[in-house]
């Protein structure tokens, strides 16, 4: 279990990079995890594969649960997100723009992720199965405060 960084029992910040091995990260993610009710919220930056190197920002919400302890990835996380900046498609589209299904080891440090996101230019869902995910260790109290303010608004 992660240690709290802000004095609130059961609350911790965790940062992840995800992508295919030996390539630049496809997605960066910061999450506030609240263990008493098993919820998560945060933000994600999805790097585009286009030559322009566009990045999409998402607000994330979700939940986690513990699976069978004999499983190598006992923590299962489901996250949904919408773009952080409004775009014309949000007025007419009821769906979320990003979906993440994550399986992590017991220490929340690494695992696998299945990523789906809506490509609004092509009007299709892009699917990235079996990406690796690993925790980065740059958590600090200023990151936690900034993320808490963004999640509240």
């Amino acid at each position: 279990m992660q240690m709290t960084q802000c004095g609130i029992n059961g609350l911790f910040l965790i940062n992840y990079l995800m992508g295919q091995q030996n390539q630049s990260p496809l997605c960066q993610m910061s999450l506030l995890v609240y263990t008493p009710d098993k919820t998560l919220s945060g933000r994600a930056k999805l790097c585009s594969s286009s030559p322009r190197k566009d990045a999409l920002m998402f607000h994330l919400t979700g939940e986690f649960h513990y699976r069978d302890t004999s499983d190598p990835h006992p923590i299962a996380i489901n996250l949904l997100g919408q773009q952080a900046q409004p775009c014309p498609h949000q007025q007419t589209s009821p769906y979320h723009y990003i979906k993440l299904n994550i399986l992590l080891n017991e220490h929340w440090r690494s695992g696998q992720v299945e990523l789906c996101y809506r490509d609004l230019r092509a009007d299709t869902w892009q699917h990235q199965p079996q990406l690796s995910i690993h925790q980065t260790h740059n958590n600090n109290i200023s990151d936690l405060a900034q993320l808490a303010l963004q999640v509240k608004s």
Side-chain angles (χ1 to χ4, degrees):
M1 173 88 48
Q2 296 287 324
M3 297 300 295
T4 185
Q5 297 167 330
C6 64
I8 300 173
N9 192 24
L11 180 69
F12 63 91
L13 171 68
I14 197 158
N15 296 306
Y16 291 105
L17 293 176
M18 63 188 83
Q20 297 175 346
Q21 290 183 345
N22 302 324
Q23 293 184 2
S24 60
L26 176 65
C27 187
Q28 299 173 339
M29 187 169 48
S30 294
L31 296 171
L32 280 174
V33 179
Y34 188 56
T35 58
D37 65 2
K38 297 183 179 170
T39 59
L40 306 102
S41 58
R43 62 180 180 218
K45 178 180 176 183
L46 180 65
C47 301
S48 173
S49 58
S50 73
R52 294 185 306 164
K53 302 285 184 201
D54 291 338
L56 299 173
M57 297 297 292
F58 295 94
H59 290 297
L60 302 172
T61 57
E63 57 188 29
F64 71 92
H65 66 274
Y66 296 101
R67 300 169 2 138
D68 183 357
T69 56
S70 65
D71 194 303
H73 296 107
I75 301 167
I77 299 173
N78 300 101
L79 293 166
L80 296 174
Q82 292 185 344
Q83 283 185 288
Q85 275 73 37
C87 69
H89 298 283
Q90 283 184 313
Q91 272 65 27
T92 60
S93 301
Y95 50 77
H96 291 278
Y97 290 99
I98 190 170
K99 299 176 187 176
L100 297 144
N101 295 317
I102 303 169
L103 296 175
L104 294 173
N105 68 12
E106 64 183 311
H107 302 291
W108 295 79
R109 292 195 181 114
S110 63
Q112 296 178 339
V113 62
E114 177 182 21
L115 167 72
C116 297
Y117 65 95
R118 185 77 176 174
D119 182 343
L120 296 176
R121 286 183 227 134
D123 197 32
T124 60
W125 279 97
Q126 301 296 316
H127 182 77
Q128 300 284 329
Q130 299 297 314
L131 296 173
S132 64
I133 184 169
H134 65 276
Q135 179 184 4
T136 60
H137 296 284
N138 60 351
N139 298 341
N140 62 49
I141 198 69
S142 64
D143 289 342
L144 180 61
Q146 182 184 22
L147 185 57
L149 288 173
Q150 289 177 359
V151 168
K152 277 182 124 177
S153 51

